[in-house]
Structure formats: C-alpha cells, structure tokens
Amino acid sequence: MQVPTSWIYNYDDPVTLMQDWDDRMDVVSTLLGYPKIRNNTILYLQVDVDIMYGFYGIGNPQINNAYNPLQPENGNKNHWFLKPGDSFWETEFHEMGHAQLFSKFPGETEAAVNLLAAAIFNRLYGIDIDTALGESFGNQPQITRDQAALNWMVTPISGLVTQWIFPIQRRMKSATSSEDMPSM
C-alpha cells in the first residue's frame, strides 16, 4: 500500500499497520490457493489525485481512493487505509477480487468477488461467517449464507440459462416430434 507522506509523518505505529495489511493479503492468497509470498504489485493499493476511469476498478496499482494534495494534513490522517482491524472498506477488496481472475459461474462475477472481504472479516478478525458475508456487501446483515443460497436458487442467471438450459431444452424439443407425444 502507498499513501502520501502528509498522511503518515506523525503516524504512531506503522509496523502494526503493515502487519495487518500483510495478514489481510495472506488471507486473500490462502483463500485463492496462492502462496503467501506473492508479487507485491498484485496486491498493491494506493491513493491518487484522480480515479482513472471515474468508477472503481482494478489496476496496477489499484487506485479507488482519491485525495487532494493541497489539503493540509496533520501527518496522522483518519483514513481506512491507516486503520488496522476490521474497519476497512470492503469495496477495495471487491475490486481486488476482480483482479485475482479466479473462476466464477456465469452471472456470479459481481457476487463471488466479495468472498475476499468475507474471508478477511471471518478468518482474520473472527467475525462469524454470516455476519462477515453481510459486511462484505457493505454492512448488509440480511445477506447470510442461507440468503445467498436462496438467491442463487431462485434468480435466473443469464449465462447459465443461455449457455446450458436453453440448448438442452432445444435439443429435447427437436428430439421429440409432435407425433411422438401422446394425445390428450
């Protein structure tokens, strides 16, 4: 992670902060089956004067937090980047999930990437998995494992429907002519 000097020149405990960041990245690497020692640019965040595309996204480095370099700071900025513990911004890890390029079911891309934040909340900070899952969606306590499973079962997934179900239905229909069907 990289932050402006004006944010940290009076920062009390950079060692704890960086150990917490390393621990978060270890959870991400373990969840995705990668070694804990990885290329730093893969898990590299920073702030900048502008967000390149005007919306959140991945990058090298990943920049989703803007700042004003002309604004005076006290060397101990109150920003989630500089707070160890479970008060991080889950969207940053959602975007990092996109950058990890792990396999996802069709139509599940925007949901599956939240697993990184859920794992960090659960594995590192000891938050129960249902609460962690809700937190990974931005403090949505109604999102639990049961609710996620229910949503998956009742929501049509366009990729799954168009790639698998419709072709099966077409093959079944073409294999069965009207004279093969019993009359009513």
Side-chain angles (χ1 to χ4, degrees):
M1 130 180 26
Q2 182 178 2
V3 296
T5 302
S6 64
W7 285 21
I8 59 167
Y9 65 83
N10 281 330
Y11 191 76
D12 289 336
D13 192 2
V15 173
T16 299
L17 171 67
M18 294 315 298
Q19 183 59 57
D20 187 69
W21 180 256
D22 287 346
D23 291 344
R24 291 174 187 175
M25 296 304 95
D26 286 350
V27 169
V28 168
S29 295
T30 300
L31 174 70
L32 299 175
Y34 293 122
K36 289 183 179 178
I37 305 298
R38 295 177 68 190
N39 180 334
N40 288 337
T41 59
I42 302 265
L43 305 171
Y44 183 50
L45 303 181
Q46 78 176 42
V47 297
D48 205 341
V49 296
D50 190 25
I51 298 174
M52 183 179 287
Y53 302 108
F55 52 86
Y56 305 130
I58 65 173
N60 181 15
Q62 182 172 306
I63 300 170
N64 291 314
N65 291 265
Y67 84 106
N68 179 353
L70 302 176
Q71 179 178 335
E73 301 292 347
N74 63 2
N76 197 7
K77 176 85 171 164
N78 182 16
H79 189 275
W80 79 265
F81 262 41
L82 304 174
K83 295 178 184 176
D86 64 3
S87 63
F88 61 85
W89 186 42
E90 75 288 335
T91 302
E92 199 72 66
F93 294 95
H94 169 101
E95 298 303 338
M96 185 179 284
H98 287 297
Q100 301 308 300
L101 302 176
F102 62 96
S103 297
K104 301 160 200 73
F105 291 113
E108 292 295 314
T109 301
E110 288 301 319
V113 294
N114 288 342
L115 292 176
L116 277 63
I120 293 168
F121 281 125
N122 176 253
R123 298 284 177 101
L124 186 57
Y125 302 121
I127 296 172
D128 73 90
I129 191 62
D130 284 323
T131 302
L133 186 59
E135 288 292 326
S136 77
F137 283 88
N139 192 20
Q140 300 290 322
Q142 74 277 13
I143 298 177
T144 62
R145 289 174 294 170
D146 288 344
Q147 185 62 49
L150 182 62
N151 288 353
W152 198 89
M153 288 185 276
V154 301
T155 303
I157 302 171
S158 61
L160 183 63
V161 169
T162 58
Q163 292 177 14
W164 297 99
I165 296 173
F166 286 166
I168 291 169
Q169 287 175 336
R170 281 193 295 274
R171 283 195 300 271
M172 289 172 63
K173 186 175 182 180
S174 68
T176 310
S177 67
S178 60
E179 55 262 356
D180 294 336
M181 301 297 283
S183 58
M184 296 293 207

